[in-house]
Amino acid sequence: MVIRERYLKQIRPFYDQDLIKVLIGIRRSGKSVILNQIIDELREKGIDDKHIIYINFEDFDYDEYTDPKKLNDYVKGKIIDSKKYYLFFDEIQNVDKWEKVINSFRATQNTSIFITGSNSDLLSSDLATHIAGRYVSFRITPFTFKEACELLNISDRQGQENEFSDYIKWGGLPQRFMQTDDESRKIYLKDVYDSIVIKDIIKRFNIKDIDLLNRIVTYILTTPSQTFSPENLKRYFESESRNVSLETLYNYLDYIIRANLISKAERYDIRGKRILTGKYKYYLTDLGFTNILSEGKREQIGAYLENIVYNELLARGYNVNIGNAENAEVDFVATRFNEKIYIQVAYVLSDERVIDREFGVYKKIEDNFPKYVLTMDKFDLSRDGIIHKNVIDWLLEE
């Protein structure tokens, strides 16, 4: 088992605070495991099991406690002294009006509360005003490539390169590493995908046109790292003799994002220092879903690498935008507190034309923040202060 230190070190300072700790991420990304790793650390600190209450709302044994009144009564019945109690609620979105009961525990009991959810809008609903200003949130991603190598105990270069090929194909959802052959990996990923679409999109948003939703999801998941808009999708469906309103397309795209299946990257005007409206880029939370939906289609290695780098930047805590510099595009402008980096991603620097394209875009950026070109090349072409790195080396950095 991989100890997900990247997240634990962020959460540890809040273990004993009354702020509600919220872990949000796609289904099966490892949120439950992180909760259990926190529980293990609390036990190591001497907290006894009677003061640790854990409920997984995906477990049918706890189904009755999706009723907020029953949940309230159950938890308060477990609190029998004035010492601090540590409450863990997994997949809290299954509880009706969960914000009210969670805030009640925080306000009336000596508790430290941890919750997880699979919906990115978990904290943006009207009811979430009950915990506004009283929580800290952490975005949990599937395994990074470095975590995958740690899990599999791979440290030699050949092994890392072999695993990277698998990582591109099958993604980083933790349990997919437990599958021993391609067929079982495909079955597992299809099960996760169906669960997300059915539970987090169709049921949650009461989708009527399921065929349209499936077509939109398939279109996005089989064309990762592409620039498009609802207008593009509308034209695509018109080419297939299907008329779909823009409002419907906007809504369905929003639902897919809120289910954490994809992320939307906005465009950033580097010189004007402002977000641009219009076309966006969409990235898959896990590349494994592409493999189960695009069987037989041409692989898009450059797009896959770009998607992996985007997810890695999110996992490292960056806010990520697509850069615009005088009609040229920088793949990523990543900011974290006062730090900023620029990144270009390409498969290989195959000739001078490609080299000029990838390095040349930085000529229009006049600041001194670090600028990278990441490729699969094994040689270093760094120049003019621009850092060229192998993607695998960059992913394995501390």
Side-chain angles (χ1 to χ4, degrees), residues 203-337:
K203 287 187 176 179
R204 176 173 171 75
F205 299 107
N206 194 27
I207 300 296
K208 302 299 184 187
D209 194 338
I210 296 174
D211 175 67
L212 175 62
L213 174 70
N214 284 327
R215 284 170 177 261
I216 294 173
V217 175
T218 300
Y219 180 87
I220 296 173
L221 266 60
T222 55
T223 55
S225 311
Q226 301 300 314
T227 299
F228 69 92
S229 65
E231 288 78 8
N232 293 135
L233 276 176
K234 182 174 173 60
R235 285 192 288 272
Y236 166 74
F237 283 114
E238 286 173 350
S239 72
E240 296 205 336
S241 302
R242 179 156 189 179
N243 187 34
V244 184
S245 74
L246 278 176
E247 181 182 6
T248 298
L249 291 173
Y250 272 108
N251 287 337
Y252 279 24
L253 274 173
D254 182 53
Y255 301 155
I256 299 165
I257 293 169
R258 288 158 73 177
N260 283 308
L261 198 54
I262 61 173
S263 296
K264 180 174 75 173
E266 297 182 302
R267 294 186 171 277
Y268 177 75
D269 180 355
I270 295 171
R271 175 160 291 186
K273 297 181 179 180
R274 61 190 178 90
I275 296 295
L276 302 172
T277 58
K279 292 183 179 179
Y280 306 98
K281 273 195 172 183
Y282 294 86
Y283 294 94
L284 314 188
T285 301
D286 191 83
L287 272 177
F289 297 128
T290 289
N291 188 45
I292 64 170
L293 294 174
S294 59
E295 191 171 6
K297 293 189 177 181
R298 180 178 61 87
E299 288 189 335
Q300 308 166 69
I301 301 299
Y304 299 163
L305 292 179
E306 187 178 326
N307 204 126
I308 288 171
V309 170
Y310 175 83
N311 287 339
E312 177 70 23
L313 288 167
L314 291 184
R316 294 183 184 186
Y318 286 97
N319 179 51
V320 188
N321 293 306
I322 311 304
N324 269 65
E326 296 182 13
N327 298 320
E329 181 176 287
V330 179
D331 287 334
F332 302 121
V333 181
T335 55
R336 183 174 61 185
F337 302 109

